[in-house]
Amino acid sequence: MKAKILAICFAIPFVCLVIWTITLAWQRNHGSEVKVAVMGYDPRDLLSGHYIQYQIDWTHTDCSQFKRNQCPEQDFCKDARWGRQCRFYIPENKARDLDKLFRKRNDTDTKFEVVYSYQPGRKVIAKQLLINGEDWRKALP
């Protein structure tokens, strides 16, 4: 009896994790792909762990991708001290090169964009970071 209860106690978190993973994968694959331009960040905390922090540049984003040609700014990212904070997770060994490129983007006319999976009313999921229209892994030296 105790063994069955113990097995159930161990199985419940695993089942919840599997359901959550399947839900996120479904959301990622069934949302509309939208591409948004990336701009400024807090330079004191650009790289924090395994992600870059950025803000979306709505003035350079094509709002015709969305319903009624209006950008749903409040659906993206979360509130922070300096505006809406967004994150894109990257491998730590690529962080330094990406940081250098991101900091020099104004000098080199480098354009950063993020592709999101978007469904109105649901959390948006960042799918891909683009540098000059190309996947960030291919664009790094």
Side-chain angles (χ1 to χ4, degrees):
M1 182 67 169
K2 284 185 180 181
K4 288 182 182 180
I5 292 173
L6 188 60
I8 290 172
C9 288
F10 281 121
I12 289 174
F14 178 73
V15 169
C16 290
L17 180 63
V18 168
I19 290 171
W20 181 52
T21 303
I22 290 170
T23 302
L24 285 176
W26 185 87
Q27 267 185 271
R28 184 180 191 274
N29 294 328
H30 288 85
S32 302
E33 279 196 0
V34 294
K35 192 186 307 183
V36 296
V38 172
M39 67 171 194
Y41 60 94
D42 182 359
R44 294 168 291 156
D45 197 20
L46 172 64
L47 290 170
S48 228
H50 298 279
Y51 58 86
I52 62 169
Q53 293 187 149
Y54 57 89
Q55 292 177 309
I56 296 175
D57 184 359
W58 291 109
T59 60
H60 291 97
T61 297
D62 178 16
C63 291
S64 68
Q65 304 174 85
F66 303 100
K67 208 174 196 178
R68 289 183 240 126
N69 295 329
Q70 293 179 339
C71 287
E73 297 178 27
Q74 296 303 314
D75 291 353
F76 286 76
C77 310
K78 62 181 184 178
D79 285 320
R81 295 183 307 272
W82 64 90
R84 307 238 358 126
Q85 174 185 322
C86 310
R87 291 180 176 175
F88 189 84
Y89 293 86
I90 57 168
E92 189 175 7
N93 62 341
K94 301 290 185 181
R96 181 168 295 186
D97 294 333
L98 192 57
D99 179 43
K100 286 179 186 175
L101 191 58
F102 199 81
R103 290 179 191 271
K104 288 194 241 178
R105 73 188 183 285
N106 293 332
D107 299 336
T108 60
D109 290 326
T110 304
K111 183 179 178 184
F112 281 77
E113 298 171 306
V114 176
V115 176
Y116 281 96
S117 175
Y118 175 72
Q119 292 178 348
R122 294 189 181 247
K123 184 177 180 180
V124 295
I125 299 173
K127 293 176 73 171
Q128 187 178 22
L129 175 65
L130 303 176
I131 301 173
N132 292 330
E134 186 176 42
D135 184 82
W136 69 273
R137 285 164 269 195
K138 293 177 184 174
L140 286 180

